[in-house]
């Protein structure tokens, strides 16, 4: 399509670009091509109510919202076409979305009675490049998976092009698909509907993660989302189920999934372990595949712990995994060593600061899957076949060949409990130094009695450290100087032939 025509096709969405600086930006693309006819004409269709509820679940106050219909762009008939582009508060959002969808029907080609065709790739690319201005956000796509630009019957090839856009589009960081059961009858009947959500940019990925954690979307769409991208991050989950402790070290699993190791720095066991430079524990795991709908048919396993600047291998009970299907975890045993030789010692500054409590060292356990082989699960294939009979889409869910590995990270927290001895020792040392300083100060300022004898006459002189006093005979002549310091007194500058000495 010429550049001018393409710009005209998405002109209605440009308003959304100015809202890209808001908390989150959403673009909802609602298909209304000819293949969607039954979703609009069947009186029992829940298509528009579903779109409304998804929008309300996803968009929060302050977010930027663009709602647009799409089919295939033609001269005089731009696609996507904006239905709503605004920021709306929670109270008026339902009314605004329902009002925007109320008049939406099946689109026709300009100047013809023929129903419009569909171009999924064009719709997504326009949303990313124009509505979002290539900035972060979430793009939602409601479709029946019939990708047929210019009434192209080679839907398998067109769907694969769409799939390649998802996997190789640099802006798309994450992608999920929700296959839904929605039977409708009309000129073109259908059994199901697909909702896609694409996270654009790193911030968009964080927005999608936050949305899924909130559970708001799951209250509307209860189906398990199929992951399309990425297939090399967070692909498996590790859950500790059994830990055999070692002397001086106690393991526990926190509610947030963190594995905690508590070390008592004052116990004899911990001291012995430190002398041996390591502390090993046997841990039983549950290894779970989080890449629905893919089964990990085979992969090699390696694991290590990262703590206190040290990387320590973890000995696994098996170096490979086979047939790891989504939702069917497999047991995995391991022997893990904590690098306690690298942890702060009992008399370290960290121990003094944590006296009576615990010093916390964050770390992680990392499991790497290499030479990974994936295949689409049979359960998903069967479900897709029932929702989209005769549709070739399940074949293009085949994972890209370049996805060969992945890794899982489990947070690890080591808490070293110290007694109060280091603090007491530090306070005792400080007190001793203070007492010595006081004693020195008193000694430096105290007046002392000094006995001297001048020409056989005993005398008593009162002197302070740091002073020099002249001594005279009976005739008033100077015979010597009496120099006093913190360490004693001495006679200096003694006149030749004078009879003067210290003492009586």
């Amino acid at each position: 399509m010429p550049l001018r025509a393409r710009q005209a096709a998405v002109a209605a969405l440009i308003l959304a670009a100015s809202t890209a600086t808001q908390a989150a930006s959403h673009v909802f693309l609602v298909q209304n091509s000819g293949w969607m006819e039954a979703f609009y004409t069947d009186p029992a269709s829940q298509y528009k109510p579903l779109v409304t509820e998804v929008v309300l679940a996803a968009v929060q106050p302050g977010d930027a919202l663009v709602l647009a219909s799409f089919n295939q762009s033609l001269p005089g008939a731009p696609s996507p076409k904006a239905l709503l582009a605004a920021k709306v508060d929670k109270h008026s959002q339902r009314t605004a979305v329902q009002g925007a969808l109320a008049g939406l029907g099946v689109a026709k080609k300009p100047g013809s009675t023929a129903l419009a065709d569909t171009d999924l790739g064009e719709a997504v690319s326009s949303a990313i490049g124009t509505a979002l201005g290539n900035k972060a956000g979430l793009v939602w796509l409601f479709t029946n998976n019939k990708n047929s630009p210019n009434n192209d019957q080679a839907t398998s090839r067109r769907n694969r092009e769409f799939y390649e856009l998802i996997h190789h589009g640099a802006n798309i960081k994450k992608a999920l698909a929700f296959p839904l059961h929605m039977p409708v009858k009309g000129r073109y009947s259908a059994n199901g509907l697909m909702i896609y959500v694409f996270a654009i940019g790193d911030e968009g990925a964080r927005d999608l993660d936050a949305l899924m954690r909130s559970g708001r979307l799951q209250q509307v769409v209860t189906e398990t989302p199929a992951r399309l991208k990425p297939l090399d991050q967070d692909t498996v989950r590790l859950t500790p189920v059994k830990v055999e402790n070692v002397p001086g070290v106690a393991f526990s699993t926190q509610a947030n999934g963190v594995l905690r190791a508590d070390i008592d720095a004052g116990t004899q066991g911990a001291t012995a372990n430190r002398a041996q430079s390591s502390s090993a524990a046997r841990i039983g795991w549950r290894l779970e595949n989080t890449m629905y709908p893919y089964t990990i048919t085979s992969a090699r396993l390696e694991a290590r712990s990262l703590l206190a600047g040290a990387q320590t291998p973890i000995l696994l009970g098996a170096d490979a995994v086979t047939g790891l299907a989504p939702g069917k975890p497999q047991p995995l045993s391991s022997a893990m060593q904590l690098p306690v030789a690298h942890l702060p010692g009992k008399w370290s500054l960290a121990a003094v600061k944590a006296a009576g409590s615990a010093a916390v060292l964050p770390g992680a356990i990392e499991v790497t899957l290499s030479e990974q082989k994936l295949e689409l699960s049979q359960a998903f294939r069967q479900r897709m076949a029932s929702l989209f009979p005769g549709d070739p889409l399940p074949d293009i869910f085949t994972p890209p060949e370049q996805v060969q590995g992945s890794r899982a990270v489990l947070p690890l927290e080591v808490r070293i409990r110290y007694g109060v001895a280091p603090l007491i020792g530090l306070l005792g040392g400080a007190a001793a130094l203070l007492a010595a300083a006081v004693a020195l100060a008193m000694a430096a300022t105290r007046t002392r009695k000094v006995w001297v004898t001048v020409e056989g006459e005993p005398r008593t002189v009162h002197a302070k450290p740091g002073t020099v006093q002249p001594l005279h005979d009976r005739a008033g002549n100077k015979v010597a100087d009496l120099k006093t310091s913190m360490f004693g007194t001495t006679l200096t500058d003694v006149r030749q032939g004078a009879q003067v000495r210290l003492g009586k």
Side-chain angles (χ1 to χ4, degrees), residues 334-346:
S334 68
M336 188 179 75
Q337 296 180 337
L338 290 178
V340 295
H342 299 279
L343 303 182
K346 181 178 179 181

Side-chain angles (χ1 to χ4, degrees), residues 430-493:
L433 289 175
L434 180 61
V438 171
L440 287 174
M442 292 179 63
T445 58
R446 183 182 60 194
T447 301
R448 63 183 67 173
K449 291 182 179 180
V450 181
W451 293 92
V452 297
T453 300
V454 180
E455 295 183 345
E457 177 187 357
R459 299 179 185 179
T460 302
V461 180
H462 296 276
K464 290 184 177 182
T467 62
V468 177
Q469 299 185 51
L471 299 178
H472 300 85
D473 58 16
R474 292 187 183 92
N477 299 314
K478 178 181 175 182
V479 294
D481 284 330
L482 180 65
K483 185 177 181 180
T484 305
S485 68
M486 293 178 57
F487 306 101
T489 55
T490 58
L491 293 174
T492 62
D493 196 20

